[in-house]
Amino acid sequence: DQQVKQNSPSLSVQEGRISILNCDYTNSMFDYFLWYKKYPAEGPTFLISISSIKDKNEDGRFTVFLNKSAKHLSLHIVPSQPGDSAVYFCAASAKEYGNKLVFGAGTILRVKS
Amino acid sequence: DARVTQTPRHKVTEMGQEVTMRCQPILGHNTVFWYRQTMMQGLELLAYFRNRAPLDDSGMPKDRFSAEMPDATLATLKIQPSEPRDSAVYFCASGSPYGYTFGSGTRLTVV
């Protein structure tokens, strides 16, 4: 039972354009959402997060949007750079579940120069 | 630069052998997770500890996997006996709910 879903296994974007990565969740108890980025042979690294009391959080080129009614969040990268090529994982947590992170399957982003 | 240290980085073993993976969490972090990355499932939670006490190990096959934290500086994940389907990358992470830090992982291959 996949509570966090990333339905696009991969995405290819031209350098300088916007990358939009999507994530859906099924559990309405989730109250905190995170994006992690992973390069080959390395562990995932924290990128950006958002609390359920917000609908947007921005950090430089990265913006996360949360639509609670649709149980959907997205990560926007503008402008995309070749160094952004990596696997992006969406994750969610809930205080009721001890704040353990539930991850999606990941989306491979390729930024072409 | 604080980091989570995992050993070994790579492990190749024969089916039926015991495998032990080790993790040194960041000093002061009281929550430690074990995740497994597979192609099909992404990052699966195997077990996690808070203040060294196991909170949830429901993601772990109990008959062959065990996870412990003998002290605050060491977490272990053991597989006995190992099977080819256990081949994956195993990650340890420590931190707070607002940003966990992952180690570089142990790539396990069971032949």
Side-chain angles (χ1 to χ4, degrees):
Chain A
D1 176 24
Q2 286 256 290
Q3 297 186 70
V4 178
K5 299 176 188 177
Q6 294 177 256
N7 291 320
S8 298
S10 65
L11 175 68
S12 189
V13 170
Q14 199 66 33
E15 181 179 5
R17 298 287 186 96
I18 184 171
S19 295
I20 299 177
L21 296 103
N22 293 304
C23 178
D24 296 293
Y25 61 96
T26 57
N27 193 333
S28 56
M29 300 295 282
F30 288 141
D31 56 16
Y32 201 74
F33 304 89
L34 308 91
W35 285 93
Y36 279 79
K37 173 176 165 180
K38 185 184 179 303
Y39 292 119
E42 294 182 13
T45 55
F46 171 73
L47 193 56
I48 193 169
S49 62
I50 188 166
S51 163
S52 59
I53 62 173
K54 293 187 171 184
D55 53 20
K56 177 182 173 182
N57 188 26
E58 194 171 346
D59 183 3
R61 297 185 296 113
F62 303 91
T63 303
V64 56
F65 295 92
L66 175 62
N67 182 334
K68 285 193 291 293
S69 59
K71 294 192 178 69
H72 176 84
L73 64 155
S74 60
L75 174 68
H76 292 212
I77 307 173
V78 181
S80 302
Q81 298 173 355
D84 296 330
S85 298
V87 180
Y88 288 79
F89 289 99
C90 170
S93 68
K95 290 188 193 64
E96 283 75 8
Y97 306 138
N99 291 313
K100 64 182 180 184
L101 292 181
V102 179
F103 282 87
T107 296
I108 300 170
L109 173 65
R110 294 189 188 89
V111 180
K112 299 176 290 189
S113 54
Chain B
D1 186 22
R3 60 180 63 189
V4 174
T5 303
Q6 287 187 250
T7 55
R9 288 296 309 271
H10 302 275
K11 176 73 176 178
V12 180
T13 191
E14 289 185 350
M15 183 172 64
Q17 296 297 304
E18 177 179 299
V19 174
T20 299
M21 290 168 269
R22 293 177 174 79
C23 168
Q24 182 176 351
I26 292 173
L27 198 61
H29 283 184
N30 68 348
T31 305
V32 176
F33 292 84
W34 282 104
Y35 282 91
R36 173 169 65 181
Q37 184 186 13
T38 61
M39 292 299 293
M40 299 302 294
Q41 300 286 344
L43 284 164
E44 302 174 82
L45 177 66
L46 296 175
Y48 81 109
F49 295 79
R50 183 159 295 137
N51 297 320
R52 294 177 54 203
L55 285 192
D56 185 349
D57 60 3
S58 58
M60 232 166 43
K62 301 285 191 310
D63 56 338
R64 299 185 299 109
F65 283 60
S66 61
E68 295 179 347
M69 266 199 88
D71 61 61
T73 64
L74 177 65
T76 62
L77 180 67
K78 191 176 293 187
I79 309 174
Q80 168 63 23
S82 56
E83 296 180 2
R85 59 181 167 149
D86 301 329
S87 298
V89 182
Y90 291 79
F91 289 104
C92 174
S94 72
S96 75
Y98 308 109
Y100 292 105
T101 301
F102 281 76
S104 298
T106 294
R107 180 174 292 278
L108 174 65
T109 304
V110 183
V111 298

